Amino acid sequence: LVLMQAEFLLLQSAVNEVSEGEPVMMEAVHEHPLYWTDLEGKGYANCSICRSMVGGTKTTGYLALQCRLCAPSGAKGFAGGFQVCTACYRKSAVMTGSGVAAGAG
């Protein structure tokens, strides 16, 4: 558990440094640019790929890629829109051979 937390913190730092404000394109998953967003305390959100709640252990934290163009559902306390959890982004990066730096910009 300690190693998972350390890995998450390192990944979060790397992502924030490399892609702060920079869009990530995942054409195979979504047609719009996605932006890294910390969803902690910003309402309930599910990953649009695995359907797990962002912030749960399966999604490895509250950091997610979120579409700024897709409108949220409008339900109170629900982030809505389109988001990809860190775990699904990692799987996609491994499958496509891209990484955080390759996907940014």
Side-chain angles (χ1 to χ4, degrees), residues 31-84:
E31 67 272 13
H32 302 136
L34 303 172
Y35 296 85
W36 287 106
T37 307
D38 185 359
L39 296 175
E40 186 171 14
K42 295 183 178 148
Y44 178 84
N46 282 343
C47 174
S48 298
I49 296 174
C50 70
R51 304 286 184 213
S52 295
M53 185 177 92
V54 174
T57 54
K58 184 175 179 184
T59 62
T60 65
Y62 291 96
L63 192 63
L65 284 165
Q66 191 168 41
C67 181
R68 294 181 182 169
L69 299 175
C70 291
S73 65
K76 186 176 174 128
F78 183 75
F82 185 90
Q83 48 271 330
V84 178

